[in-house]
Amino acid sequence: MPMKPKILTTLELPSNALEKLKEYFIVEGGPDLIKDRVNLLNSLKDKVGLLTAPHIKVDKELFEHAPNLMVVSTYSVGYDHIDVTEATRRGIYVCYTPGVLSDCVAEVTWGLILSTYKRISEAERIVRARKWVKGIYKEPLGRDLKGKTLGIIGLGRIGRRVAEIGRCFGMNVIYYDIVKPSDADKLDFQYCDLETLLKNADVVSVHVPLQKETYHLIDESKLRLMKRDAIIVNTSRGAVIDEKALIKALKEGWIMGAGLDVFETEPLPLDSELLDMENVVLSPHRGSASIETRTAMLNLAINNLISVLKGEIPPALLNSDVVKVRPLNQTKVI
Ligand code: DGY
């Protein structure tokens, strides 16, 4: 019997996922590879597929160690960790997990908005510190959402869902995007430029992917445009906001607060000033962290990988141009 092709994973896979992959492949690797780049690179030599996530850089160096690689399947919708241009040039298919996590990330975004604007985390810390005293509770007072303006930066799948939920709270929704959506005229939400959005929104929520155009999109000059009683929430990628400038804004009171699920460096460095700031709600990059969503993401990532290696169009291919470099009949190994 011919030997099965080999794939590498950096994920800790549940047994049912591993069993499914083992029907077709010899599966090597695991989460320890995240901490050991040399071992990761050396493990790629004989692998046709890589199942991974944003916890590693999938760059030119990695591709150079992987002469047989035909598909990278990431267990994420974000792909800023992957050099997609280089992958395409080398005929490597790049697949991701759009759609299946939009509702979950939107719900977590709302968790952060509510916690920050209503100051729920701050209040909880008072209770836990045994400082809740008898009387009418005054501090910290939050703000009401009804009638306020929600400013969405990036009206993709997740941004749209956050916007829809904002409507249920009775908010007026405005949005900005790097490229104005083609259906902008049909939408119920008002498009505006970034400066107008920042000057008018009470709640700013960031949903653009990290790319050259969005790196530090929200810098000091942009933060200075925001209202003093506004908050900013980020569940996309940390580097879309200049974190140093944000810390300054929060310390000096240019804005009321921030709800952050993502950071420029993750895990958040132990000396980050954000850790000691009362007006910040912190969450460890868990926008998609629900049982249902993580299951759907993993299934999609696995189906993507298997499809490419069966020579079939995967459900979520990022670099469709790759077929010109390596047609699908050349990726069929199972
Ligand atoms: C995603 O899917 O991109 C999430 O942010 C997890 O990294």
Side-chain angles (χ1 to χ4, degrees):
M1 209 170 91
M3 219 175 52
K4 290 175 181 170
K6 289 187 181 176
I7 62 160
L8 192 73
T9 187
T10 59
L11 307 178
E12 183 163 2
L13 293 170
S15 55
N16 58 343
L18 195 55
E19 285 320 307
K20 181 165 179 185
L21 287 167
K22 280 182 173 173
E23 276 176 40
Y24 303 98
F25 311 108
I26 295 171
V27 183
E28 292 182 4
D32 285 348
L33 288 178
I34 305 164
K35 293 177 252 155
D36 187 350
R37 177 87 179 167
V38 174
N39 192 10
L40 167 71
L41 297 180
N42 290 337
S43 306
L44 280 161
K45 202 162 143 206
D46 52 353
K47 306 299 183 300
V48 291
L50 172 64
L51 178 62
T52 190
H55 49 221
I56 62 160
K57 280 256 163 286
V58 182
D59 54 9
K60 193 167 172 206
E61 179 194 43
L62 183 145
F63 295 136
E64 271 161 9
H65 285 78
N68 298 304
L69 196 65
M70 289 193 270
V71 56
V72 173
S73 179
T74 184
Y75 172 60
S76 63
V77 66
Y79 50 86
D80 47 287
H81 56 300
I82 305 175
D83 185 340
V84 181
T85 311
E86 185 60 25
T88 309
R89 202 180 68 74
R90 290 169 181 260
I92 297 170
Y93 286 66
V94 180
C95 305
Y96 66 144
T97 64
V100 292
L101 45 58
S102 308
D103 289 334
C104 185
V105 179
E107 288 167 12
V108 169
T109 302
W110 272 101
L112 285 174
I113 293 174
L114 290 167
S115 190
T116 311
Y117 208 50
K118 295 286 181 189
R119 302 176 69 173
I120 295 170
S121 295
E122 263 182 273
E124 201 220 11
R125 283 195 288 275
I126 291 170
V127 179
R128 286 187 187 272
R130 282 122 178 115
K131 288 186 180 158
W132 180 10
V133 290
K134 204 170 169 70
I136 296 173
Y137 206 72
K138 286 204 295 270
E139 297 297 337
L141 290 183
R143 304 299 303 255
D144 291 335
L145 291 162
K146 193 168 178 186
K148 299 282 171 50
T149 297
L150 170 64
I152 303 282
I153 300 177
L155 201 76
R157 298 178 201 85
I158 298 169
R160 279 174 199 236
R161 186 70 192 124
V162 173
E164 283 165 11
I165 300 172
R167 273 284 157 73
C168 303
F169 280 105
M171 297 185 82
N172 164 46
V173 182
I174 57 177
Y175 74 98
Y176 163 78
D177 214 329
I178 303 291
V179 180
K180 193 172 173 180
S182 53
D183 60 349
D185 297 341
K186 289 182 224 129
L187 295 176
D188 246 6
F189 316 120
Q190 183 65 44
Y191 183 84
C192 62
D193 60 46
L194 184 56
E195 285 71 20
T196 307
L197 182 145
L198 292 167
K199 280 181 196 159
N200 288 286
D202 300 288
V203 173
V204 174
S205 196
V206 180
H207 299 287
V208 283
L210 178 61
Q211 49 200 37
K212 259 202 314 285
E213 300 75 17
T214 58
Y215 177 78
H216 285 189
L217 178 71
I218 309 298
D219 58 10
E220 173 162 346
S221 67
K222 302 291 186 330
L223 288 163
R224 284 191 185 275
L225 296 176
M226 289 179 63
K227 298 184 188 180
R228 287 183 78 85
D229 54 2
I231 62 164
I232 189 161
V233 167
N234 189 7
T235 52
S236 65
R237 284 293 183 265
V240 174
I241 301 180
D242 177 347
E243 205 166 279
K244 267 205 188 114
L246 177 64
I247 290 171
K248 194 167 161 197
L250 290 161
K251 268 180 159 172
E252 296 181 6
W254 316 344
I255 62 174
M256 172 182 145
L260 305 173
D261 184 50
V262 287
F263 305 89
E264 290 213 46
T265 304
E266 294 179 7
L268 188 60
L270 298 181
D271 61 353
S272 169
E273 290 185 73
L274 290 168
L275 288 163
D276 297 312
M277 300 175 82
E278 280 297 333
N279 52 350
V280 186
V281 177
L282 302 169
S283 161
H285 199 149
R286 55 189 306 282
S288 63
S290 74
I291 293 170
E292 297 86 344
T293 295
R294 285 285 166 88
T295 305
M297 287 168 72
L298 188 57
N299 286 340
L300 180 51
I302 288 174
N303 288 340
N304 278 331
L305 184 113
I306 293 175
S307 298
V308 173
L309 296 172
K310 273 185 172 170
E312 294 167 2
I313 296 179
L317 176 64
L318 192 58
N319 56 344
S320 47
D321 273 0
V322 70
V323 295
K324 294 183 203 146
V325 184
R326 194 196 307 256
L328 275 166
N329 59 9
Q330 291 175 22
T331 67
K332 187 170 163 37
V333 290
I334 52 174

